Amino acid sequence: MRRYLIFILLCWPLWASAQKTQEAQEVQDWIAYRDAYRQMIWFEKYGKPKQFLQNHFRIRAREKGASTDGLRLSLNSKNIHQSLTLDALGRAVFPFSKAAYDDNAELTLNRNASQFRSGAWVSIVTRADGVYAAADLRTACEQMLAYLQYAGAAAGKACVGVQFSYPRSDAAEVVFQTAGGASTALVVREGPAFPDDVQSGFRVVAYRFAAYPENGRIVSSSVPLAIAALLE
């Protein structure tokens, strides 16, 4: 009996620690600001051309059943309490803050954070006038590929085009106009805003470079939610 009690006393701290870890994982609703900062700073320090790219902190669902409706993100520490606006694709402008870093702040979700992926998310800059030179879109895709390879991803991939995404309610039209003025409407389908996303339901339009002349422009009747690079 005495040996049994000694065994229990020795094992109790390990069991208690494991229990706390499990409980923390089950109810975790925060992301370490310092971890997010280290991910986001990669783009800021990147020295090659990136004028067609933008970097956000993004929250996205891990599984199709995880809803992002009503999802809210905030930055919290002993000295900071800031709400961060998420767009329709879960992207937020990241607040670079020395005070938040020093305070070991938390990026807090109003949901269980384990249901979502989070981190830096680079995409192609959209234009308010909806007009994109074909050459610029090719350059933007190449810039995206170069950055991802710098970050250790997209090995062996090549730029094949870009994809415009819109809300399901947006009846946007996207056309390719040649240098001579002839227009061709691009096909609209339903799918995810970014190729690797699990959530679909957006109106997406793929502009594949090989299918159109190098000279020309893409004209969108409204501003897309996002422009993604198509890398294959």
Side-chain angles (χ1 to χ4, degrees):
M1 185 66 178
R2 182 179 178 184
R3 290 181 180 178
Y4 179 76
L5 289 174
I6 292 173
F7 175 79
I8 292 295
L9 290 173
L10 290 174
C11 292
W12 177 262
L14 297 176
W15 181 87
S17 176
Q19 185 70 11
K20 289 181 179 178
T21 300
Q22 181 179 354
E23 290 173 355
Q25 291 174 344
E26 289 175 354
V27 301
Q28 181 176 337
D29 61 354
W30 57 272
I31 302 154
Y33 176 85
R34 289 178 179 176
D35 291 343
Y37 181 97
R38 295 186 187 101
Q39 295 176 27
M40 297 296 295
I41 204 67
W42 274 77
F43 184 81
E44 302 303 313
K45 292 183 175 181
Y46 181 64
K48 293 184 179 180
K50 57 182 179 182
Q51 74 271 26
F52 292 114
L53 305 181
Q54 59 187 354
N55 191 32
H56 291 93
F57 183 75
R58 188 179 182 214
I59 306 294
R60 56 187 178 125
R62 289 182 178 273
E63 300 178 356
K64 291 183 178 180
S67 173
T68 56
D69 292 341
L71 187 65
R72 295 191 301 277
L73 175 68
S74 59
L75 175 63
N76 296 290
S77 72
K78 61 183 180 182
N79 297 311
I80 300 172
H81 299 283
Q82 179 182 353
S83 178
L84 304 179
T85 301
L86 294 173
D87 69 7
L89 300 176
R91 297 176 300 182
V93 176
F94 187 79
F96 286 96
S97 168
K98 183 178 184 302
Y101 192 95
D102 291 343
D103 286 350
N104 197 19
E106 298 175 352
L107 290 161
T108 306
L109 288 174
N110 62 332
R111 307 275 182 82
N112 187 329
S114 66
Q115 297 177 348
F116 301 91
R117 300 182 188 276
S118 64
W121 195 266
V122 180
S123 59
I124 296 171
V125 175
T126 60
R127 291 178 56 92
D129 62 6
V131 179
Y132 304 85
D136 287 347
L137 290 175
R138 290 172 181 265
T139 300
C141 189
E142 292 294 342
Q143 287 184 1
M144 175 72 79
L145 178 60
Y147 174 74
L148 292 176
Q149 290 176 339
Y150 155 82
K157 298 290 184 70
C159 286
V160 299
V162 298
Q163 177 181 278
F164 298 79
S165 59
Y166 304 86
R168 183 179 292 177
S169 59
D170 189 341
E173 295 181 352
V174 183
V175 300
F176 179 86
Q177 293 182 347
T178 66
S183 296
T184 303
L186 276 65
V187 176
V188 179
R189 60 182 179 82
E190 184 176 309
F194 295 99
D196 293 334
D197 285 359
V198 297
Q199 289 184 315
S200 57
F202 297 94
R203 298 179 76 246
V204 298
V205 178
Y207 163 49
R208 291 186 169 269
F209 301 144
Y212 299 91
E214 289 189 15
N215 296 321
R217 64 181 188 174
I218 294 290
V219 180
S220 171
S221 62
S222 65
V223 180
L225 292 173
I227 304 176
L230 298 178
L231 307 175
E232 296 177 356

